[in-house]
Amino acid sequence: MQSCEISSDSTDDPLSSGLRPHRQPRIVVIGAGLAGLAATRVLLKNGFTDVTVLEASDHIGGRVQSVKNGRATLELGATWIHGANGNPVYHLAEENGLLEHTTDGERSVGRISLYTKNGVAHYQTNVGKRIPKDLVEEFSDLYNEVYELTQEFFQNGKPVCAESQNSVGIFTRDLVRKRIMVDPDDPESTKKLKLSMLQQYLKVESCESSSPSMDEVSLSEFGEWTEIPGAHYVIPEGFMKIVDLLAQDIPSHTICLCKPIRRIHWNYSAQHREVIGKSSDTKRDDNHNDNNHGRRANEDPLILGQPIWVECEDEEWIPADHVIITASLGVLKQNHEVMFSPSLPEDKVLAIEKLGISTTDKIFLEFEEPFWSPECNSIQFVWEDEAQLEQLAYPEELWYKKICSFDVLYPPERYGYMLSGWICGQEALQMERCDDETVAETCTELLRRFTGNPDIPKPKRILRSSWGSNPYIRGSYSFTRVGSSGEDCERLAMPLPYANSTKAPPLQVLFAGEATHRKYYSTTHGALLSGQREATRLIEVYQDHKA
């Protein structure tokens, strides 16, 4: 996948005669994750032959990262197929036999909570005591009642009260606390335990939402995220099998790995000639433009006929008629100012700034033998000293307090004795900066403390994700932050230049990726569908022109 051959047979306007002009339109797809591969697959199937995928990393898959561990496959990234009915990821998996060995423990109906499905969750306090199961169930019922209320603001157009500050976290914490405190049957010690459990539940919710805190998640928009009906599934052979299926019909020379981009020069006009001319003086004589990939920077793009030039980090400049950008919201937040020339329109920049993305990391610990009981499906960390806290913000050295739980991976016949821990927000970034030994020791001490078992050995292996510090990802997935809305997702997805705003060629820069899907943001099916959406947008404009 290293060769990146782009044809240069003609410079005619590709919109001049539909899908069979003097030359095919040149389409560059930025990113080989689910969105980029889905877009490329649809384009190739519909007769577009001049398509190139530029992937910054050394592998395809984006935020899908499956790692073999003996007989098991561990997912550092995407793990579940969320829903079945009409879910293109589910149908792809089902049609290709990827779910034949999915166990009941890897299939969940209804709202899932990380890995927890079968068995019993052990809620342990920081003084090594287990919270009674009936108390856990009583609190869980209360929390889920309030969770359902958070959905009503968007779904029923219910006005948000000022006290909540339009925050899921503030609304949930205030209402659950009020209901706990007015319960006449609970002694003060029970109320304190429930208040502590509330903080733990909100940590879990933050990991699921990939937000630093549920306080940052918009209450008025929370209910727009749409759940596809049906169960949630784990793919035993790994989610990378979905990536492989999407890529299998894409010729290997189409995908260029280790090809990060520096800047997208779009909407070229005469004012850029001087810039290009000056930049050519700084280019290395031995740059990669000497092959068929692109052209030297000092060749006039107006004469050559392309409205877009993709400037790569290796000094290559690649011409294009259309670019589909599937970079994560985190990358756009970090790089949009230098990534586009001219700069993005103000409203699109505002959408990028308003929408949220954070880091949710997993910490896998493998043990020689289980120290947990057979019915235990997770160890949930409840800090009793956090009962009355308003915001859970920790100094760097206390990053481990944001770990909400360790889940038991089932079945042991496949996974061995494996736990998966969860951490999110700035604390996840701090964890990423620590070495494996430090994280393993810290997690072992936590497990000893919360279970009350000082003899728990260190794990024989640790594996963890690092999505926040990955320069080509910069976070796990998006959420609607307080102040943002689904309209920002749609604004982010809007192609450039905007329709009717210019006489320049249309659909030069298109945007895909999970953050651009209004209803399915944060999901793999949202990413896949967004890639298909942008490919279809191009297909339709050429078909309309031909007609």
Side-chain angles (χ1 to χ4, degrees):
M1 295 184 180
Q2 300 299 328
S3 176
C4 189
E5 297 176 4
I6 301 177
S7 64
S8 54
D9 53 345
S10 174
T11 60
D12 296 334
D13 180 0
L15 280 173
S16 61
S17 54
L19 256 183
R20 296 189 181 276
H22 290 269
R23 71 165 175 85
Q24 282 270 333
R26 290 190 178 124
I27 303 171
V28 174
V29 178
I30 309 296
L34 293 177
L37 294 175
T40 303
R41 190 175 188 233
V42 171
L43 289 168
L44 293 174
K45 282 190 173 183
N46 282 271
F48 292 82
T49 58
D50 200 346
V51 182
T52 301
V53 182
L54 305 180
E55 168 56 47
S57 71
D58 61 1
H59 60 275
I60 62 174
R63 283 168 271 180
V64 177
Q65 190 176 0
S66 306
V67 178
K68 292 295 291 183
N69 182 60
R71 296 174 59 187
T73 300
L74 303 178
E75 303 289 8
L76 290 176
T79 303
W80 291 275
I81 300 174
H82 292 292
N85 304 342
N87 185 334
V89 179
Y90 169 80
H91 294 298
L92 200 58
E94 178 69 17
E95 291 163 7
N96 289 276
L98 298 183
L99 303 178
E100 291 178 0
H101 301 291
T102 301
T103 66
D104 288 341
E106 296 167 317
R107 183 186 301 109
S108 172
V109 178
R111 186 167 180 248
I112 66 168
S113 180
L114 307 179
Y115 272 112
T116 306
K117 296 177 181 67
N118 296 336
V120 179
H122 286 206
Y123 283 80
Q124 305 281 154
T125 71
N126 55 299
V127 294
K129 295 182 179 179
R130 183 181 172 190
I131 300 175
K133 184 182 175 184
D134 58 345
L135 182 57
V136 172
E137 291 176 348
E138 189 177 308
F139 173 78
S140 184
D141 289 343
L142 167 59
Y143 180 87
N144 288 330
E145 283 177 20
V146 175
Y147 175 86
E148 291 303 318
L149 294 178
T150 66
Q151 307 294 293
E152 293 183 0
F153 292 95
F154 179 84
Q155 294 172 0
N156 300 338
K158 186 176 175 181
V160 174
C161 61
E163 292 80 7
S164 73
Q165 299 176 46
N166 197 22
S167 161
V168 172
I170 293 174
F171 173 84
T172 303
R173 191 163 48 244
D174 287 353
L175 186 52
V176 172
R177 278 178 173 171
K178 286 175 183 175
R179 294 191 180 185
I180 290 172
M181 297 312 293
V182 299
D183 191 329
D185 299 324
D186 283 346
E188 287 303 312
S189 59
T190 298
K191 289 179 179 180
K192 182 182 177 183
L193 270 182
K194 288 183 177 180
L195 291 172
S196 301
M197 289 178 65
L198 168 60
Q199 302 286 35
Q200 194 275 342
Y201 269 56
L202 288 172
K203 289 180 189 178
V204 172
E205 204 79 64
S206 295
C207 283
E208 291 187 342
S209 296
S210 193
S211 60
S213 162
M214 291 308 292
D215 289 11
E216 294 193 24
V217 180
S218 172
L219 181 60
S220 61
E221 307 299 319
F222 195 47
E224 185 168 18
W225 187 88
T226 304
E227 186 169 7
I228 291 180
H232 306 270
Y233 298 83
V234 170
I235 302 173
E237 293 181 76
F239 218 100
M240 271 302 294
K241 292 294 181 182
I242 296 293
V243 175
D244 295 339
L245 287 170
L246 289 174
Q248 69 181 7
D249 295 327
I250 300 174
S252 59
H253 68 268
T254 300
I255 301 177
C256 308
L257 300 179
C258 302
K259 196 76 172 176
I261 68 160
R262 178 179 295 144
R263 190 170 290 108
I264 296 166
H265 302 266
W266 61 285
N267 217 16
Y268 251 103
S269 63
Q271 64 184 345
H272 293 89
R273 297 188 187 193
E274 183 179 354
V275 175
I276 295 299
K278 287 180 179 178
S279 66
S280 67
D281 297 334
T282 64
K283 305 301 176 186
R284 300 195 306 265
D285 291 336
D286 59 344
N287 71 45
H288 295 279
N289 290 308
D290 291 337
N291 55 31
N292 285 333
H293 297 186
R295 294 190 175 87
R296 292 186 182 276
N298 61 347
E299 291 188 43
D300 192 334
L302 295 173
I303 296 173
L304 294 170
Q306 278 75 41
I308 310 164
W309 282 74
V310 179
E311 179 185 357
C312 302
E313 291 284 358
D314 62 5
E315 309 297 342
E316 182 175 2
W317 288 58
I318 298 174
D321 297 294
H322 311 282
V323 173
I324 301 177
I325 297 171
T326 70
S328 74
L329 178 62
V331 168
L332 291 176
K333 281 179 177 289
Q334 181 92 2
N335 299 330
H336 74 82
E337 290 183 352
V338 296
M339 195 172 169
F340 298 92
S341 178
S343 301
L344 293 177
E346 187 176 340
D347 61 340
K348 191 177 286 286
V349 170
L350 200 58
I352 290 170
E353 292 175 345
K354 288 200 295 184
L355 290 168
I357 186 169
S358 184
T359 300
T360 295
D361 278 326
K362 300 177 191 175
I363 307 169
F364 291 101
L365 303 178
E366 184 178 9
F367 294 87
E368 291 284 0
E369 297 292 335
F371 59 82
W372 53 90
S373 56
E375 88 287 350
C376 174
N377 68 20
S378 65
I379 301 167
Q380 309 285 331
F381 295 156
V382 179
W383 294 86
E384 290 191 61
D385 58 349
E386 294 182 350
Q388 299 296 336
L389 294 181
E390 292 301 320
Q391 289 187 331
L392 298 178
Y394 305 105
E396 287 187 1
E397 66 273 14
L398 297 182
W399 61 265
Y400 55 84
K401 295 193 76 172
K402 194 67 171 288
I403 298 175
C404 59
S405 64
F406 274 93
D407 295 325
V408 178
L409 271 60
Y410 286 116
E413 294 78 18
R414 177 184 300 144
Y415 292 103
Y417 304 115
M418 184 81 68
L419 299 180
S420 174
W422 299 84
I423 186 171
C424 64
Q426 287 299 314
E427 293 81 6
L429 293 175
Q430 184 60 32
M431 182 276 296
E432 292 179 13
R433 288 191 281 268
C434 298
D435 58 34
D436 280 353
E437 183 70 16
T438 299
V439 175
E441 285 183 1
T442 302
C443 290
T444 304
E445 284 302 318
L446 272 179
L447 290 165
R448 290 169 181 165
R449 178 176 184 175
F450 278 83
T451 62
N453 179 1
D455 299 321
I456 293 175
K458 282 180 62 176
K460 68 177 185 179
R461 187 185 180 201
I462 179 173
L463 182 68
R464 57 201 172 113
S465 59
S466 55
W467 297 112
S469 53
N470 184 326
Y472 305 133
I473 303 292
R474 299 287 181 191
S476 297
Y477 42 85
S478 63
F479 67 96
T480 46
R481 191 161 58 185
V482 174
S484 69
S485 70
E487 291 180 2
D488 292 306
C489 295
E490 293 191 342
R491 198 167 289 113
L492 179 58
M494 199 175 297
L496 298 175
Y498 291 152
N500 304 321
S501 65
T502 176
K503 293 182 179 179
L507 300 182
Q508 292 180 40
V509 185
L510 302 93
F511 294 83
E514 53 84 13
T516 71
H517 201 294
R518 182 166 185 161
K519 292 185 176 181
Y520 299 145
Y521 59 86
S522 81
T523 66
T524 55
H525 53 274
L528 190 150
L529 287 167
S530 73
Q532 293 177 341
R533 177 195 68 214
E534 297 311 306
T536 301
R537 206 189 294 267
L538 285 175
I539 291 165
E540 288 176 349
V541 77
Y542 280 92
Q543 287 176 340
D544 290 346
H545 196 83
K546 186 176 181 180

